[in-house]
Amino acid sequence: MLDLRKEQNFDLYITYIREPQKSLESWVEKYVSDYCMKRDLNSKNIIGKEANEIFRNKVTQLINCVKKTSERNEILIEDWLQQFNTAAEEIISLSETLFNVFDLNEVEVKDIICFKTELVKSLKALITSQEIVLDNWELKEFNGVTKQPHKLICNSILGCMKQCPLCKVICSCTIEHPGKDHTAPRHYPQGLRGTYRKGTKEFELRSCNELMASDGSFRTMATHRKSHKYKEYKSVNDYYASWSIAADTSLEASLYWKWVFAQFSEQFVEYYSKTKFRK
């Protein structure tokens, strides 16, 4: 929210209000990308240094696995590879199809010690060659990894993400909570989702909490545009019923969101005037 205020971009606010998950995922992605692409005094970026450290550690472990395998010349290469695979199974998984690419029984290695020495030499060379590649990682390579950091972070921190049907505030539960009501400590002013104060052309600045304590009513697509008492909101449908909204006149909408309204009043009017029905 602080970054949104710095950006002073109305479209970003609308995305945050209407599609909070998309907005938050975009913010986390930018934050993580900016952080990972920072470079030190040696012009090496953080993600490259971390990736190099992981890669170097894994290859070193593989080298140790090679060294632990048999040095008997009479061992079949197939048996040697199976031996290596067992030793390295927590580091790398060799597919069974790898052993079927060619007939390993016909592969003859007369000097296992020499074979192991050359294999270790190749692995060490791999560390050196890959280090240059990783040190020069750019955003396109970073975005091409299988498990992108920002997605892993979003999966662990975004939580429920369900939105109040009346004001669009997101549920405050940090994990999925089947069987328990959605809640939020303080709701938005309802005008953020396009609701006007009854009988006026002014956006509603009161929060759901304040309105639940009133005798007022609301109309939405869910009520088929018919008036429905705030106090009876749970009877609209199952989704409304899944929310627990406290009736409390002391829980006014935050000054932050009132500032947003004041800052972008004309843009809000223009945006919602083009939206005939508000979900």
Side-chain angles (χ1 to χ4, degrees), residues 52-253:
N52 259 321
E53 186 65 30
I54 294 169
F55 186 77
R56 191 180 302 110
N57 181 263
K58 292 295 183 183
V59 176
T60 300
Q61 290 179 59
L62 289 177
I63 290 172
N64 290 333
C65 289
V66 171
K67 291 178 178 179
K68 289 178 182 177
T69 53
S70 175
E71 295 185 349
R72 294 184 295 110
N73 285 331
E74 64 270 19
I75 191 172
L76 294 173
I77 189 64
E78 180 179 19
D79 294 336
W80 188 93
L81 283 173
Q82 290 288 5
Q83 203 178 97
F84 170 75
N85 190 32
T86 300
E89 60 185 355
E90 292 185 4
I91 307 165
I92 186 172
S93 178
L94 299 180
S95 169
E96 287 297 321
T97 57
L98 175 66
F99 301 105
N100 299 323
V101 172
F102 49 86
D103 189 351
L104 293 171
N105 290 315
E106 295 182 0
V107 177
E108 183 179 8
V109 177
K110 294 182 178 180
D111 191 339
I112 287 290
I113 294 177
C114 180
F115 170 73
K116 288 173 62 174
T117 301
E118 289 301 313
L119 190 54
V120 168
K121 190 185 299 183
S122 296
L123 287 169
K124 287 181 177 179
L126 183 62
I127 293 177
T128 304
S129 62
Q130 194 64 29
E131 186 173 7
I132 298 171
V133 174
L134 293 175
D135 280 344
N136 290 283
W137 258 25
E138 296 296 340
L139 201 55
K140 60 180 180 180
E141 287 90 359
F142 173 66
N143 288 334
V145 298
T146 304
K147 295 182 179 179
Q148 294 181 327
H150 72 276
K151 290 185 177 179
L152 294 173
I153 292 171
C154 287
N155 290 339
S156 65
I157 68 171
L158 289 191
C160 177
M161 296 305 294
K162 297 296 184 183
Q163 292 181 268
C164 171
L166 292 167
C167 72
K168 295 298 183 182
V169 70
I170 58 175
C171 176
S172 59
C173 293
T174 56
I175 58 173
E176 294 296 331
H177 50 100
K180 294 184 179 180
D181 286 348
H182 302 295
T183 60
R186 179 179 295 192
H187 285 249
Y188 292 158
Q190 286 195 4
L192 286 179
R193 53 95 64 184
T195 300
Y196 293 99
R197 197 174 186 113
K198 192 172 182 179
T200 74
K201 291 185 178 181
E202 298 175 356
F203 284 117
E204 179 60 77
L205 295 181
R206 287 176 292 179
S207 68
C208 295
N209 307 106
E210 296 173 90
L211 291 164
M212 290 298 164
S214 72
D215 291 322
S217 59
F218 63 93
R219 293 186 304 163
T220 66
M221 290 179 68
T223 67
H224 306 291
R225 315 307 299 174
K226 295 179 180 178
S227 292
H228 197 95
K229 290 285 187 180
Y230 277 109
K231 292 177 179 178
E232 298 171 2
Y233 75 94
K234 282 182 174 285
S235 65
V236 173
N237 59 32
D238 289 343
Y239 188 68
Y240 277 72
S242 70
W243 275 83
S244 178
I245 307 173
D248 190 340
T249 54
S250 68
L251 291 175
E252 296 182 3

